[in-house]
């Protein structure tokens, strides 16, 4: 007797669209077959007309715990994540205290246990003086080592060249970098301050956090990785120019991979006038040509992974002038819907979408038994209706910060059901009654 049967869905998986039935037993996928309709099951979903895919694995979120929980916390932001079809997230170390040692990492796993609706893993943060922590890191204790090679929210800049060399040489697991050249940005900020005073228009953000600043830092990271054969993952690429640093093609075998985030695939320079601080983020939203170049790089394979960089700040904090308003925007609830809009517009195939948002994060981080629709894998599943719509209203927003840069937009899809480890995390517009998120493990 299966716990759940999902009948008649179109599966999007491993490069194919296939009509099939899926059976779930306990936390795992028990069977995938053309017709399971006569198998006994406790519960049956008729998914005729719906698409079934693995849940999104978001390799870059900021859930603000501990220390910054007025902006968001693990319970609130993971609820928004499952409503958006994200079943696993990897969370960043720029919290308070910083996640820069084994003890701080374990504290986060304990906080998430029993409170996170989605599965979770945490990054160990690098600093200018925690090399020993990095060298001694247990490969099961973190998804990756995060290195801020450019300063952003939180005081985590690593700018000592010897330290960077040593991190790239000795990190025992994947190194994920934020790449922007801080001295260049500081000079641009100074020039903007001279020109505008405190009231710098938000449209200056991509000129201050410039293409050159991204290029200088990304090419530095790629150079270091080539020198030391580091497993490098460059986060949130924002310029078409940086794409030449990355190889096209499949992820398998690559030592250097790159990520794009949903807001950089959606917004462009033209949106600063309407949205101002709401789309101020680091690295900055840049030109239309950059956005379109990055979208194309998904299909070419120069960009391997799509993530969110979900980074909530309160509405009040965002009301500050240019230098005061913090960088970052909340995204997890609408990441997949935004990608399905790209699909409807002919910019992204469903197969590529699932590869970049589900399969490749599992491959890049060596996640065990997740990221695919496969018998024996965890039942982290999303049913999506590509014919229905999702209107982004204030009332429907689950983030603690209570706002979204997409407010007023109607997406051409609806996340109908999200299963996490076989449990209903989201169904028909409601959060599940139980918490199903687990600490993920790695094939390493
Ligand atoms: O815009 C951003 N916000 N970029 C980052 O790198 C950090 C993030 C945050 O934590 O707010």
């Amino acid at each position: 007797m299966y716990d759940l049967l999902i009948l008649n869905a179109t599966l999007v998986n491993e490069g194919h669209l296939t009509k099939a039935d899926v059976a779930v037993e306990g936390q795992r996928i028990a069977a995938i077959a053309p017709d399971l309709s006569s198998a006994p099951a406790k519960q049956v979903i008729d998914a005729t007309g719906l698409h079934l895919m693995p849940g999104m694995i978001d390799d870059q979120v900021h859930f603000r715990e501990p220390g910054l929980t007025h902006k968001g916390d693990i319970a609130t932001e993971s609820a928004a994540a499952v409503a958006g079809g994200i079943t696993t997230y990897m969370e960043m170390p720029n919290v308070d205290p910083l996640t820069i040692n084994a003890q701080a990492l374990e504290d986060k796993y304990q906080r998430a246990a029993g409170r996170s609706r989605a599965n979770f893993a945490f990054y160990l943060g690098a600093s200018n003086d925690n090399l020993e922590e990095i060298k001694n890191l247990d490969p099961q204790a973190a998804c990756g080592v995060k290195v801020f090679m450019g300063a952003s929210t939180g005081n985590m800049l690593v700018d000592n060249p010897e330290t960077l060399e040593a991190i790239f040489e000795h990190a025992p697991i994947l190194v994920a970098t934020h790449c922007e050249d801080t001295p260049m940005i500081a000079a641009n900020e100074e020039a903007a301050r001279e020109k505008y005073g405190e009231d710098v228009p938000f449209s200056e953000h991509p000129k201050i956090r410039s293409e050159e600043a991204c290029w200088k830092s990304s090419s530095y990271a790629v150079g270091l990785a080539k020198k030391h054969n580091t497993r490098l993952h460059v986060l949130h690429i924002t310029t078409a120019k940086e794409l030449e640093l990355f190889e096209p093609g499949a992820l398998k075998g690559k030592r250097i991979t790159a990520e794009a985030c949903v807001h950089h695939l959606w917004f462009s320079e033209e949106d600063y006038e309407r949205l101002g601080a709401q789309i101020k983020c680091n690295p900055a939203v840049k030109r239309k040509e950059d956005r379109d170049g990055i979208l194309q790089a998904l299909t070419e394979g120069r960009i391997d992974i799509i993530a969110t960089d979900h980074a909530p700040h309160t509405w009040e904090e965002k009301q500050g002038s240019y230098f005061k308003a913090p960088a970052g925007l909340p995204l997890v609830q609408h990441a997949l819907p935004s990608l399905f809009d790209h699909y409807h517009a002919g910019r992204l195939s469903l197969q590529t979408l699932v590869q970049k948002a589900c399969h490749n994060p599992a491959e890049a981080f060596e996640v065990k038994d997740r990221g695919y629709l496969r018998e024996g894998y965890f039942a982290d599943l999303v049913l999506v209706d590509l014919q229905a719509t999702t209107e982004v209203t204030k009332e429907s927003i689950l983030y603690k910060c209570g706002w979204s840069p997409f407010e007023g937009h109607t997406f051409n899809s609806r996340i109908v059901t999200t299963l996490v480890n076989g449990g209903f995390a989201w169904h028909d517009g409601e959060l599940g009654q139980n918490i199903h998120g687990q600490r993920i493990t790695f094939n390493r």
Side-chain angles (χ1 to χ4, degrees):
M1 168 83 88
Y2 294 125
D3 288 317
L4 175 67
L5 272 180
I6 301 170
L7 302 179
N8 307 315
T10 300
L11 276 52
V12 190
N13 191 48
E14 304 194 52
H16 301 286
L17 299 183
T18 326
K19 276 235 155 47
D21 296 343
V22 173
V24 175
E25 204 175 293
Q27 300 188 350
R28 306 236 180 195
I29 298 172
I32 303 174
D35 184 6
L36 293 168
S37 58
S38 54
K42 291 182 191 150
Q43 197 174 348
V44 178
I45 295 179
D46 180 3
T48 304
L50 304 182
H51 286 76
L52 182 72
M53 56 180 274
M56 179 168 173
I57 299 177
D58 187 350
D59 78 2
Q60 191 185 180
V61 304
H62 302 265
F63 281 1
R64 307 304 193 198
E65 202 170 325
L68 302 170
T69 52
H70 65 289
K71 297 175 193 278
D73 63 47
I74 288 170
T76 56
E77 307 315 277
S78 71
V82 296
I86 292 168
T87 52
T88 297
Y89 60 87
M90 301 181 186
E91 209 267 350
M92 286 295 166
N94 56 337
V95 285
D96 187 12
L98 301 171
T99 320
I100 50 176
N101 56 48
Q103 195 192 334
L105 260 175
E106 280 314 311
D107 172 63
K108 278 183 151 183
Y109 284 105
Q110 278 171 26
R111 286 168 177 277
R115 286 176 60 232
S116 180
R117 289 182 181 269
N119 304 309
F120 47 88
F122 297 98
Y123 284 88
L124 176 70
S127 74
N128 273 326
D129 45 36
N130 74 340
L131 187 59
E132 287 309 306
E133 287 284 347
I134 295 172
K135 282 186 179 171
N136 295 327
L137 178 64
D138 168 1
Q140 291 296 330
C143 45
V145 175
K146 169 70 182 284
V147 188
F148 279 92
M149 290 178 69
S152 191
T153 308
N155 191 13
M156 292 204 76
L157 177 66
V158 183
D159 58 355
N160 179 332
E162 286 93 57
T163 308
L164 283 170
E165 290 275 351
I167 293 170
F168 276 68
E169 188 178 349
H170 296 294
I173 57 173
L174 176 149
V175 172
T177 55
H178 177 129
C179 289
E180 288 184 292
D181 186 71
T182 298
M184 257 184 187
I185 292 167
N188 292 342
E189 280 180 347
E190 225 19 69
R193 212 186 278 276
E194 258 172 44
K195 187 164 171 193
Y196 298 103
E198 286 305 301
D199 272 327
V200 176
F202 285 96
S203 56
E204 291 297 299
H205 194 51
K207 296 176 197 127
I208 292 170
R209 293 210 166 232
S210 63
E211 179 185 71
E212 295 71 30
C214 292
W215 170 262
K216 187 168 178 199
S217 182
S218 296
S219 50
Y220 180 24
V222 168
L224 283 175
K226 285 187 173 159
K227 180 171 166 194
H228 297 290
N229 193 29
T230 317
R231 176 64 189 90
L232 171 68
H233 183 47
V234 183
L235 301 166
H236 43 40
I237 294 299
T238 57
T239 69
K241 184 169 164 57
E242 287 166 287
L243 295 170
E244 63 193 72
L245 293 168
F246 306 102
E247 297 293 327
L251 181 139
K252 210 171 170 51
K254 284 184 186 174
R255 294 292 290 166
I256 300 174
T257 51
E259 177 210 81
C261 290
V262 291
H263 49 311
H264 298 123
L265 297 171
W266 188 271
F267 298 110
S268 73
E269 219 167 34
E270 293 173 5
D271 295 303
Y272 284 105
E273 197 176 324
R274 184 170 61 90
L275 292 166
Q278 288 186 57
I279 58 163
K280 181 190 175 194
C281 58
N282 303 334
V285 167
K286 297 195 173 62
R287 299 166 309 163
K288 261 188 171 164
E289 299 89 301
D290 294 305
R291 178 189 63 189
D292 297 346
I294 298 164
L295 261 167
Q296 206 186 320
L298 289 168
T299 302
E300 274 173 17
R302 286 183 199 274
I303 297 284
D304 305 283
I305 287 177
I306 304 175
T308 65
D309 197 8
H310 173 81
H313 296 284
T314 68
W315 184 250
E316 291 68 34
E317 288 167 332
K318 279 289 201 181
Q319 300 318 297
S321 58
Y322 176 75
F323 290 107
K324 295 213 174 88
L329 47 158
L331 292 156
V332 283
Q333 197 173 341
H334 304 114
L336 277 179
S338 80
L339 297 176
F340 291 127
D341 269 21
H342 288 304
Y343 157 71
H344 281 299
R347 292 188 285 262
L348 192 60
S349 73
L350 288 177
Q351 292 93 324
T352 302
L353 188 163
V354 165
Q355 183 185 49
K356 307 289 168 173
C358 315
H359 303 333
N360 280 0
E363 293 296 336
F365 290 83
E366 304 165 284
V367 175
K368 188 166 166 33
D369 294 352
R370 302 184 192 277
Y372 292 91
L373 304 180
R374 287 181 183 161
E375 291 177 0
Y377 272 49
F378 285 100
D380 293 343
L381 308 175
V382 176
L383 272 174
V384 56
D385 187 340
L386 294 173
Q387 259 50 266
T389 57
T390 302
E391 191 190 350
V392 184
T393 58
K394 267 244 177 293
E395 301 69 51
S396 61
I397 291 167
L398 294 171
Y399 311 131
K400 192 184 257 188
C401 68
W403 66 273
S404 161
F406 296 119
E407 269 168 65
H409 182 75
T410 299
F411 290 108
N412 288 312
S413 62
R414 195 164 73 88
I415 307 296
V416 179
T417 304
T418 305
L419 295 183
V420 173
N421 300 312
F424 282 86
W426 175 258
H427 186 58
D428 265 346
E430 301 280 347
L431 289 167
Q433 299 206 323
N434 299 315
I435 305 284
H436 300 285
Q438 286 178 9
R439 177 175 182 158
I440 63 169
T441 58
F442 303 93
N443 295 315
R444 43 167 91 130

